[in-house]
Amino acid sequence: MKHLLLWDIDGTLIASGGAGMRALQRALRDVFGIDGLLADIDFAGRTDMWIMREVFRKFALSATRENFERYFEGYVAALPAEMNNPQTRVLPGVREILRAATEHGGFAQGLLTGNMRRGAQLKLAHHGLWDHFAFGAFADDSEHRNELGPHAVRRALERHGVNFAADDVWIIGDTPHDIACGKIIGARTLAVATGGATLEQLREHSPTAAVQNLADTAAVLALLERRP
Ligand SMILES: [Mg+2]
């Protein structure tokens, strides 16, 4: 295996039609009895831990470990029903590029996501995509996305016995936060304009490459297997 692909989830692999936000609102009501709207919190590219901390700040809840755990349990309980909405979908070309990269044989594929692991599994399993990923880095590892890269690279080593050099690693995501977390470990970055930002906005952050979407499987695969 020559390359390590680390995929973001929301806005990159799938669109959830706001399911995550509504599940957090539902949990806010179920767990803390607060009827509140979270639309003013900028979720894109953030970790679940960071988002929950913002919610606690907004509603003056104390950020204790117990409150985090209760809130997260409420979120996980509410998420499956919210994933059943007509806007939830796999983004263009995603199934094809994941399959093509697996069949190619030269790519290891994992996740690098701001979701907690259980939330990531619920979202991806809903679309039959979870089994593509044997490992990943999640919000369980750190509240800050910029700290997730080393966890993902270490798990790739454990899983595949390959110590991927930084420039053999691709971080693939839809926000400037994904680009930043790739750059901080010296990885290459592929920005995809299917979620939180436009192609022009993403290019301002100088990713290695930027594409409108992943629909052209052959072109994306060729880009990913190019040597640095
Ligand atoms: Mg994203």
Side-chain angles (χ1 to χ4, degrees):
M1 284 177 166
K2 292 188 169 63
H3 311 274
L4 171 59
L5 308 182
L6 296 174
W7 296 91
D8 170 57
I9 295 178
D10 300 292
T12 303
L13 298 177
I14 62 170
S16 297
M21 186 191 69
R22 287 194 306 276
L24 283 171
Q25 286 178 174
R26 175 74 189 266
L28 190 63
R29 189 167 71 235
D30 292 349
V31 178
F32 300 110
I34 296 172
D35 249 321
L37 295 176
L38 305 180
D40 57 331
I41 296 176
D42 184 17
F43 283 53
R46 301 295 191 178
T47 67
D48 285 350
M49 286 298 291
W50 185 96
I51 293 164
M52 287 194 288
R53 194 179 293 284
E54 286 299 300
V55 174
F56 287 175
R57 202 191 317 268
K58 179 172 177 181
F59 296 100
L61 292 159
S62 59
T64 61
R65 185 193 175 91
E66 192 204 347
N67 275 349
F68 274 110
E69 285 173 4
R70 289 172 64 211
Y71 191 30
F72 182 66
E73 288 305 320
Y75 164 73
V76 165
L79 188 57
E82 295 297 345
M83 285 298 289
N84 274 316
N85 76 77
Q87 275 96 49
T88 310
R89 66 189 197 283
V90 179
L91 288 162
V94 163
R95 288 189 196 281
E96 292 79 6
I97 189 67
L98 293 177
R99 196 179 309 126
T102 300
E103 288 169 358
H104 179 282
F107 296 97
Q109 301 197 81
L111 296 165
L112 194 161
T113 171
N115 285 273
M116 300 285 276
R117 191 176 193 284
R118 285 167 65 200
Q121 182 169 9
L122 279 171
K123 288 180 180 177
L124 291 181
H126 179 86
H127 294 289
L129 295 176
W130 176 248
D131 291 341
H132 282 286
F133 308 102
F135 64 94
F138 304 88
D140 312 67
D141 295 307
S142 172
E143 179 173 343
H144 304 288
R145 182 178 283 268
N146 278 351
E147 296 174 0
L148 293 180
H151 291 284
V153 173
R154 188 184 73 248
R155 294 204 176 107
L157 171 62
E158 289 164 4
R159 172 77 192 184
H160 295 291
V162 179
N163 201 355
F164 290 95
D167 57 14
D168 288 328
V169 178
W170 280 99
I171 306 276
I172 306 163
D174 68 304
T175 72
H177 297 293
D178 299 85
I179 299 169
C181 96
K183 285 188 173 184
I184 213 161
I185 60 163
R188 291 189 281 168
T189 52
L190 173 58
V192 192
T194 43
T198 65
L199 200 55
E200 291 68 32
Q201 287 167 339
L202 292 168
R203 283 192 173 129
E204 283 170 20
H205 297 267
S206 307
T208 310
V211 292
Q212 192 67 54
N213 58 51
L214 300 168
D216 188 341
T217 305
V220 175
L221 200 65
L223 194 161
L224 293 173
E225 66 183 344
R226 219 158 52 198
R227 303 305 299 178

